[in-house]
Amino acid sequence: MSKELPDDEYWMQQALLLAQKAEAQGEVPVGAVVVRQGRIIGEGWNQVISLNDPSAHAEVLALRAAAKNENNYRLPGSELFVTIEPCTMCFGTLVHARIQRVVYGAKEPRAGMLDSNVQISELDIYNHKLQWQGGILEQACSDVISQFFRKKREP
């Protein structure tokens, strides 16, 4: 008897828990998980400040963890769930990792590259096409970011 795999909302909840880790460290609260065959193979949360690393976005750290766990820099058949729409750097990393599908929560109007701006995934310059879907637990993901920046602006 096959076991039903958790749905997109379940995995996004897992990413939201990681976003809380980022916030607890004073980082912009973004979390990400890489899932293959119904299990998390990598997870990450923003650690740009704590690691002094401009590339330490949640997506990149989740991909690094997954690649290490799988002993392979390619992650075909994997999905990435992230609380906010990926930026250009993260999109490039997703393509290189051969992620099958990206699911994000909230749009990123300034830097998002799947839906909000250039829609970089639609350009015919990449040798890998990934599928994507936005808006999973969008309000919860948006609220986490909004509340974080609201608190930052308080006197």
Side-chain angles (χ1 to χ4, degrees):
M1 183 171 160
S2 70
K3 186 176 171 185
E4 185 175 323
L5 298 178
D7 63 6
D8 292 353
E9 288 186 6
Y10 173 82
W11 297 121
M12 192 60 71
Q13 284 288 353
Q14 302 313 300
L16 279 164
L17 292 173
L18 294 169
Q20 291 174 2
K21 283 188 173 187
E23 185 171 21
Q25 294 175 355
E27 303 274 0
V28 175
V30 178
V33 294
V34 178
V35 176
R36 184 188 289 153
Q37 297 177 343
R39 68 180 182 90
I40 293 175
I41 61 171
E43 60 181 35
W45 58 92
N46 273 3
Q47 296 181 62
V48 174
I49 298 165
S50 56
L51 295 177
N52 294 311
D53 179 354
S55 70
H57 289 197
E59 299 96 311
V60 171
L61 295 176
L63 290 169
R64 287 177 185 165
K68 186 173 183 177
N69 286 335
E70 297 297 303
N71 200 31
N72 192 345
Y73 73 106
R74 301 279 199 219
L75 301 167
S78 299
E79 299 174 295
L80 179 116
F81 293 81
V82 61
T83 56
I84 197 157
E85 182 182 3
C87 70
T88 309
M89 176 188 69
C90 293
F91 173 79
T93 308
L94 293 161
V95 168
H96 287 293
R98 303 298 193 262
I99 291 293
Q100 179 178 329
R101 179 173 172 247
V102 175
V103 179
Y104 71 85
K107 285 187 178 184
E108 212 308 14
R110 299 178 99 185
M113 288 294 142
L114 292 176
D115 194 25
S116 295
N117 292 296
V118 176
Q119 297 173 352
I120 197 167
S121 66
E122 302 305 314
L123 299 176
D124 195 28
I125 58 174
Y126 299 104
N127 60 353
H128 174 70
K129 290 283 187 191
L130 53 82
Q131 302 164 16
W132 63 268
Q133 178 179 355
I136 303 300
L137 298 184
E138 182 174 13
Q139 192 62 55
C141 293
S142 180
D143 288 348
V144 167
I145 294 283
S146 297
Q147 290 168 9
F148 174 81
F149 284 111
R150 194 174 303 116
K151 287 179 194 172
K152 283 262 216 223
R153 289 189 295 270
E154 288 176 356

